[in-house]
Amino acid sequence: MNLNLKIRGGLLSLVILFVIGCSNRTEEKRMFGEILLMDSVLIERPLKRFESYGEYFYSYDYLNKSLIKLDKELHPLASLGKWGEGPKENFMVRNYHILDENKLSIFDTEKHTFKIQDFEDSVYFYKKFSVPVERGVQMDDTSLILVATERGIKLSYFLHSLKEDSYNVIEKINDLFNEENSALIYEGKILENNGFLIHTSYFSDLWFTYDPEHNILEKGSYIYDFEKPKVLNIGGGAMLDNAPLLIADAFIFQDRLAIVSNVSDRNNSDNRVLDIYDIESKAYLKSFILPNLNQTKASEGFSFSENKIGLLYEDKIYLFELKQ
């Protein structure tokens, strides 16, 4: 992820130029809906990866490596874990799932672990993987889908049974990534929705869903065509060659895929755009221009009611209503 962070910082002008040169695969243009600003809340900690569940919000305190439970006004109520090596502690959380209002399942990227822990800091389950798992999603009570980077900097997906402690390669997914440096080219965010895995690529024109029950993979793509990023081999390492960041974040909104797109609209070239896709059909549905606020841009989002979303702008959460 360090590579992603470095690229995001100075990419705006590159992305604008890139939009002009890209092609629209279906000749359809973005269709825009109305987005209304409702409220804003100043965030006093370096919080990110916001989610909502019931009457509460949840987030990750990047500085202290804690998971935070917040009320509807985004005031902290409780914290889970802190930096450290023990089962109750965290190094780097990239994925977590809300099991109930007081209990989370957590993937630790640097410790290569999965655990279930509550906000009284009781650990109900703790698992250190035998492969270098970087992140994952919990599909049900006994199965996980895991992501690791293997030799040749290749992305590799596994289906893991907690009951049997087994690792089964998901060949249909790994066939997509069977090239050197695919972990750089197709690096992205992974989500779970209604028993489906969703992978959205930051730098490549690819997102897909995978149904583990029926072993079905279906590919989607963003509304515009983009060239596959090129990789530079430098010494013993590799990096993307000035690859534009296509998306800043992805989240689930009304059982649809919401993409915080870094690809500007031609008539609003300084704004990020929220693009909505149908998860089942992979069809593009609608877009919303995301306003720039206090000279900042939306970096991530989350849904918290039927037609309302929250967007993180540096140290503020702005709450919006989407008119569809």
Side-chain angles (χ1 to χ4, degrees):
M1 282 300 287
N2 289 338
L3 175 64
N4 296 348
L5 293 172
K6 289 177 183 177
I7 291 177
R8 292 181 195 184
L11 200 66
L12 178 60
S13 61
L14 291 176
V15 171
I16 294 172
L17 291 174
F18 195 69
V19 173
I20 295 172
C22 70
S23 62
N24 189 316
R25 64 167 50 83
T26 62
E27 297 302 324
E28 66 176 339
K29 297 180 180 180
R30 277 173 164 146
M31 299 175 292
F32 290 102
E34 184 180 6
I35 181 169
L36 301 177
L37 177 60
M38 300 165 51
D39 201 358
S40 66
V41 180
L42 178 66
I43 305 298
E44 297 180 356
R45 307 187 194 186
L47 302 182
K48 58 198 312 182
R49 302 183 186 128
F50 282 82
E51 301 282 352
S52 69
Y53 185 93
E55 296 298 314
Y56 302 99
F57 292 109
Y58 300 80
S59 66
Y60 175 55
D61 185 333
Y62 183 81
L63 183 62
N64 295 312
K65 313 303 181 187
S66 301
L67 279 301
I68 308 297
K69 181 179 179 180
L70 308 103
D71 63 19
K72 280 301 183 183
E73 283 70 47
L74 293 169
H75 299 135
L77 298 174
S79 65
L80 180 162
K82 59 181 180 180
W83 185 89
E85 297 184 1
K88 296 182 179 181
E89 299 161 335
N90 310 307
F91 275 176
M92 177 62 71
V93 176
R94 286 187 66 182
N95 293 90
Y96 67 90
H97 297 264
I98 305 165
L99 302 178
D100 61 40
E101 291 180 347
N102 198 47
K103 191 184 299 180
L104 307 179
S105 62
I106 302 163
F107 292 86
D108 194 302
T109 295
E110 297 196 10
K111 293 168 69 175
H112 311 304
T113 58
F114 169 81
K115 64 179 177 178
I116 297 174
Q117 188 172 348
D118 66 20
F119 281 92
E120 282 73 48
D121 264 351
S122 296
V123 177
Y124 296 84
F125 181 86
Y126 185 83
K127 167 72 177 179
K128 186 168 181 65
F129 299 111
S130 59
V131 296
V133 170
E134 297 169 358
R135 57 199 187 278
V137 291
Q138 183 174 3
M139 306 306 293
D140 54 40
D141 290 342
T142 62
S143 62
L144 312 173
I145 289 182
L146 309 175
V147 186
T149 300
E150 297 196 319
R151 183 176 299 178
I153 319 182
K154 292 183 180 181
L155 271 183
S156 186
Y157 273 80
F158 302 86
L159 186 61
H160 177 68
S161 169
L162 294 171
K163 185 180 297 185
E164 301 173 3
D165 195 24
S166 60
Y167 298 84
N168 296 309
V169 173
I170 305 177
E171 294 184 0
K172 285 196 174 182
I173 298 180
N174 291 352
D175 285 346
L176 293 177
F177 304 134
N178 190 24
E179 61 178 298
E180 287 196 357
N181 304 312
S182 62
L184 298 176
I185 296 169
Y186 298 105
E187 167 69 5
K189 184 171 182 177
I190 57 174
L191 303 163
E192 185 277 334
N193 187 60
N194 295 328
F196 285 75
L197 167 79
I198 304 172
H199 174 114
T200 57
S201 301
Y202 291 126
F203 302 101
S204 295
D205 182 21
L206 170 70
W207 65 276
F208 66 81
T209 61
Y210 177 71
D211 174 5
E213 182 178 356
H214 302 99
N215 191 30
I216 296 174
L217 182 145
E218 294 181 335
K219 292 192 293 183
S221 54
Y222 304 132
I223 188 172
Y224 293 102
D225 286 317
F226 299 97
E227 294 181 0
K228 187 168 75 172
K230 295 180 173 58
V231 176
L232 289 176
N233 293 299
I234 302 175
M239 62 180 292
L240 293 181
D241 183 12
N242 292 322
L245 180 74
L246 303 184
I247 73 169
D249 192 34
F251 60 97
I252 302 299
F253 172 70
Q254 297 180 349
D255 285 331
R256 297 169 176 173
L257 179 63
I259 296 288
V260 180
S261 175
N262 204 33
V263 180
S264 304
D265 178 65
R266 296 173 189 271
N267 297 319
N268 298 272
S269 62
D270 195 38
N271 296 78
R272 284 179 171 166
V273 179
L274 186 70
D275 292 326
I276 309 296
Y277 296 85
D278 185 278
I279 292 175
E280 184 174 349
S281 70
K282 311 301 180 291
Y284 162 77
L285 299 175
K286 185 169 279 192
S287 297
F288 301 86
I289 296 291
L290 300 181
N292 297 333
L293 299 167
N294 294 326
Q295 298 182 329
T296 63
K297 299 179 185 297
S299 60
E300 66 172 68
F302 59 95
S303 173
F304 65 92
S305 74
E306 182 177 353
N307 62 339
K308 296 180 176 66
I309 64 169
L311 294 170
L312 177 63
Y313 286 72
E314 292 188 357
D315 61 350
K316 275 190 175 182
I317 290 286
Y318 289 89
L319 305 177
F320 295 90
E321 181 179 0
L322 303 184
K323 295 288 189 179
Q324 302 186 75

